[in-house]
Amino acid sequence: MILSMTGFGRGTAVLNGREITVELRSVNSRYFEYSSRIPRSCSYMDSRLKKQLNERVTRGKVELSMTIQNVEAADAEVTVNMELARSYQKALRNLSEKLCIKNDVTVSTLTRFPEVLATRHADVDEEQLWADVSAVTAQALDNFIAMRAAEGAKMKADVESRLCFLEERVGRVEALSAGRVEAYTARLYEKLRTILEDRSIDDARVLTEAAIFGDKTAVDEETVRLRSHIAQYRSILELDEPVGRKLDFLTQELNRETNTIGSKCQDLDITRTVVDMKAEIEKIREQIQNLE
């Protein structure tokens, strides 16, 4: 299964009185990169989350976002320091009597004073919370991988169509280069007849020059290797594993063989064909840059 490196996945569930939401986003990267935005109270599970993602994602810059909200039971308890509240109340009453002003103290007034109200967080079962978060993360991962697979399938289809075009162009190069030596020999004979006029032409020398020309401009090895690379490309696209790095290397090989053909052949039609091939290889390279 071919996977894109870009994707999005979301998981959410209410477990043990908490609504947990996990979102995953990724963009291209040469390696697996992880970053997260999670509640501070959950920082202890960050390394576990990274490991969980890395087990199914090998390349890409992945960002995990997580929110946790209590929906059935509060994880904090508010307590009142009654002694301190009474002290504040007594002090305010004395102040009112001595200054002869109205004592308008209310409950809300007292709660504004420091340390009258205190918040105590309930004990959290960290392993249970991790189990819940991990389950929701797995759900987000499934959706994330599904989106990556859908994008990957489109890219695979596009690359396969371009490989067909490339294969057809290789055949054209082979056809154009087939009569190259004969055409060169004929031109050489014609030029020598014009230069030497009535003098005899050394057929052996002409054949030798034609043989040297043929050897210098032969592209048989390059076209055979190109066909081999294209076949290997198709095989790799069928693998059920990350293939981005393998295809990146193979694309360089396709480009190298095509450049060699272009440097060897001075034929205008072959040169145009090579330009088409290089343009198509560049489009393939842009696509596989997005594959895991």
Side-chain angles (χ1 to χ4, degrees), residues 23-90:
E23 292 183 347
L24 300 173
R25 295 177 175 81
S26 71
V27 294
N28 296 357
S29 178
R30 292 184 63 188
Y31 309 102
F32 173 73
E33 297 181 53
Y34 168 81
S35 62
S36 65
R37 291 185 296 168
I38 62 178
R40 184 176 299 177
S41 59
C42 297
S43 58
Y44 70 94
M45 63 177 71
D46 201 37
S47 60
R48 288 181 171 185
L49 288 168
K50 179 179 179 180
K51 182 180 179 182
Q52 184 176 1
L53 266 58
N54 200 193
E55 287 174 352
R56 298 184 64 184
V57 181
T58 59
R59 290 182 74 195
K61 187 175 182 180
V62 184
E63 180 185 80
L64 180 148
S65 300
M66 179 172 66
T67 59
I68 299 178
Q69 293 183 338
N70 293 294
V71 293
E72 293 180 8
D75 66 349
E77 179 184 355
V78 178
T79 60
V80 180
N81 189 331
M82 294 302 297
E83 292 302 320
L84 184 61
R86 289 191 181 96
S87 295
Y88 280 123
Q89 184 185 34
K90 183 179 179 181

Side-chain angles (χ1 to χ4, degrees), residues 196-203:
L196 298 176
E197 295 180 347
D198 295 333
R199 286 172 288 178
S200 61
I201 299 173
D202 186 348
D203 289 343

